[in-house]
Structures are given as C-alpha cells and as structure tokens.
C-alpha cells in the first residue's frame, strides 16, 4: 500500500514516490546503476574535453587501444586529473541509442575518475548494440590500464626499426 497523497502510475515504481523511504537516488535509465550520492563524484567542466583543438590534439597523439566495446584515444594532459571527450557517430544508431551510449560512458568515467591517470581520453563506441553499463565500465577501466602501460613505454624511433 502506497502512502496517502502519493501519485503513481503502473509504469512508475513505488521508489519514485515522494513519501516512500528510499536510500539511493532512483536512476531513470535502466542501463545505469542506481546513484548513491551524485554530489561526491561530480562530472564538471574541467573534466571534459570542450574544444575541437583538444580533440584534435588527442587524435594527433596517436595513442589508442580498443576492444569489442570501445576504442579509447589518449594523450597525457599535464593536469592532475583525467578528462573525457565523446565521439559517438550516427553509425552507432539513432539519437536515443547515441545518447544512451554517452550516458553510460559518462557514468563509467564519473565513477572511475579518481582511479584514472592524468590523460585526455576520447571514447568511441564500437558496438552497435544497446549499451550495458557493466560491460562499458569494465571496458573503459581495462582500456585505460592498457593505455597507461602503453604511454609509459618509450616511443620507438624509426632508426631502431631499420
């Protein structure tokens, strides 16, 4: 039985009711995990790549890794935190699917931001399927670990190859 004065519809669960005791914040997107406290792990302007020059610099660095879910391009940024840029093309699907991809990648970045090295990251989805948060989160964390190892290696010179 719902509390008096609570308005719900059959499609709206009782957790969304204003008088219902609920610990976390309900998340309207089923692809994302329930939010615990969004104030602790913000995704601010300083954590985004905002200009075309930032994106071009990351792509020009030619440091990238990929798997079946994502391709991540990176570049050391000289800051004390990671920054995220998204490039989700129309090949992924319609606007609904592209926006869902962006939400999943942003949320995975937001939750992992304190574990990530100081890199500028540009993520491109490779799957055309509906994103699943757990898969995207695992892929992002694994690919960033691979990028960190790859960035630590000294670059191969063209003289050493001949």
């Amino acid at each position: 039985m719902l509390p008096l004065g609570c308005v719900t519809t059959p499609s709206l669960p009782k957790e969304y009711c204003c008088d219902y005791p609920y610990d976390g914040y309900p998340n309207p997107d089923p692809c994302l995990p329930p939010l615990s406290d969004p104030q602790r792990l913000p995704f601010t302007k300083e954590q985004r790549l905002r200009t075309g020059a930032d994106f071009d610099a990351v792509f020009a660095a030619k440091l990238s890794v990929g798997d079946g879910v994502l391709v991540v391009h990176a570049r050391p940024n000289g800051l004390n935190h990671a920054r995220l840029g998204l490039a989700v093309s129309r090949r992924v699907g319609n606007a609904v699917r592209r926006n869902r991809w962006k939400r999943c990648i942003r949320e995975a970045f937001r939750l992992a931001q304190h574990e990530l090295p100081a890199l500028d990251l540009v993520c491109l989805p490779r799957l055309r399927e509906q994103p699943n948060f757990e898969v995207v989160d695992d892929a992002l964390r694994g690919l960033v670990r691979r990028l960190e190892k790859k960035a630590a290696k000294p670059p191969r010179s063209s003289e050493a190859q001949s």
Side-chain angles (χ1 to χ4, degrees), residues 97-109:
R97 183 159 294 165
R98 291 194 307 269
N99 289 334
R100 174 135 323 151
W101 266 106
K102 289 187 255 187
R103 283 195 305 269
C104 279
I105 295 170
R106 261 190 241 115
E107 185 68 6
F109 177 84

Side-chain angles (χ1 to χ4, degrees), residues 3-66:
L4 203 61
C6 184
V7 178
T8 62
T9 63
S11 64
L12 189 65
K14 61 184 177 181
E15 289 87 11
Y16 287 84
C17 175
C18 54
D19 297 329
Y20 188 77
Y22 186 66
D23 290 345
Y25 298 93
N27 199 329
D29 191 344
C31 120
L32 301 178
L35 302 174
S36 54
D37 188 1
Q39 297 302 318
R40 286 191 184 180
L41 299 169
F43 185 58
T44 62
K45 275 186 181 180
E46 289 77 29
Q47 295 168 311
R48 296 181 194 138
L49 295 179
R50 292 179 290 183
T51 65
D54 290 339
F55 280 85
D56 291 341
V58 172
F59 288 124
K62 297 191 179 195
L63 178 65
S64 67
V65 294

Side-chain angles (χ1 to χ4, degrees), residues 41 107-117 137 140-141:
L41 299 169
E107 185 68 6
F109 177 84
R110 188 185 73 81
L111 294 175
Q113 65 186 331
H114 297 297
E115 303 166 17
L116 300 177
D137 188 44
L140 180 66
R141 289 173 193 254

